[in-house]
Amino acid sequence: KYMRHWPRADMRGIEVDVLPLPPAVLCELQKSLVVCYSGVSRPAGAILHKVARGFEARDPVVMEGLQGMSAAAEEIRLHLLAGRLQAAGRELSRIWELHKTLHSDVTNDRIEELYGIATEQGAIGGRVCGAGGGGTMLFHCAPNREFAVKQALRAAGATVFDFSFDLQGLFLWQADDT
């Protein structure tokens, strides 16, 4: 899904679009992604507070970073729609570099270590999820390099998660007792 925020007075200007990706593209994308936990708890509240203050004050560094991240997200959308998965993966690193300009606590030695390990083993792009400072990381790997990236991250003490895309959403049901 691709989300856009269109500021309105009622703060409800969010548009969510499902990207119509062919099954083969979705499968290749899923195969190429690696998600891991860095082992570091993140100080998300402080990071988000500083970024919000910078946004409210129209701090040029924060504004440029956020606008750049938005532009990179649009590039990812276009690359995915065209089936250019590796180009989309490289945009993750562009977003990560911009993300780091928002606050000094967005990254740290552990995050940079894991990022370096992943890229040395074949990740072509990656970033920290959420506010940064720790938590979960996402990497997009070159074709058939995801196993090496996972192994190297595990060897470095990161927790690698198995995941899959869910295109249906959550289903709840009640068993019939009869």
Side-chain angles (χ1 to χ4, degrees), residues 112-125 139-142 145 148-150 152-153 156:
E112 294 300 321
E113 173 193 18
L114 293 175
Y115 189 91
I117 288 168
T119 56
E120 287 171 12
Q121 293 301 317
I124 58 175
F139 297 101
H140 186 279
C141 302
R145 295 302 304 162
V149 171
K150 289 177 183 180
L153 290 169

Side-chain angles (χ1 to χ4, degrees), residues 5 7 50-72 94 98-99 101-103:
H5 179 250
K50 179 175 187 270
V51 173
R53 280 191 323 214
F55 179 80
E56 289 169 0
R58 298 291 191 244
D59 177 315
V61 173
V62 171
M63 296 305 290
E64 184 177 314
L66 292 173
Q67 289 169 350
M69 291 169 71
S70 180
R94 180 174 154 211
L98 290 163
H99 192 167
T101 68
L102 301 179
H103 189 284

Side-chain angles (χ1 to χ4, degrees), residues 4 11 14 22 27 30-31 40 46 54 70 94 101 114 144 147 157 165 177:
R4 286 182 257 205
M11 297 304 289
I14 297 177
C27 289
Q30 182 173 286
K31 179 182 179 291
V40 178
S70 180
R94 180 174 154 211
T101 68
L114 293 175
N144 301 315
F147 182 76
F165 294 149
D177 291 338

Side-chain angles (χ1 to χ4, degrees), residues 6 14 29 31 122 124 138 178:
W6 306 103
I14 297 177
L29 178 61
K31 179 182 179 291
I124 58 175
L138 170 71
T178 60

Side-chain angles (χ1 to χ4, degrees), residues 86-138:
Q86 291 187 46
R90 284 189 290 276
E91 289 293 322
L92 289 176
S93 291
R94 180 174 154 211
I95 290 174
W96 175 233
E97 290 304 317
L98 290 163
H99 192 167
K100 292 190 289 186
T101 68
L102 301 179
H103 189 284
S104 60
D105 289 341
V106 164
T107 193
N108 55 51
D109 291 343
R110 176 65 173 161
I111 297 297
E112 294 300 321
E113 173 193 18
L114 293 175
Y115 189 91
I117 288 168
T119 56
E120 287 171 12
Q121 293 301 317
I124 58 175
R127 61 162 298 167
V128 169
C129 300
T136 304
M137 301 179 76
L138 170 71

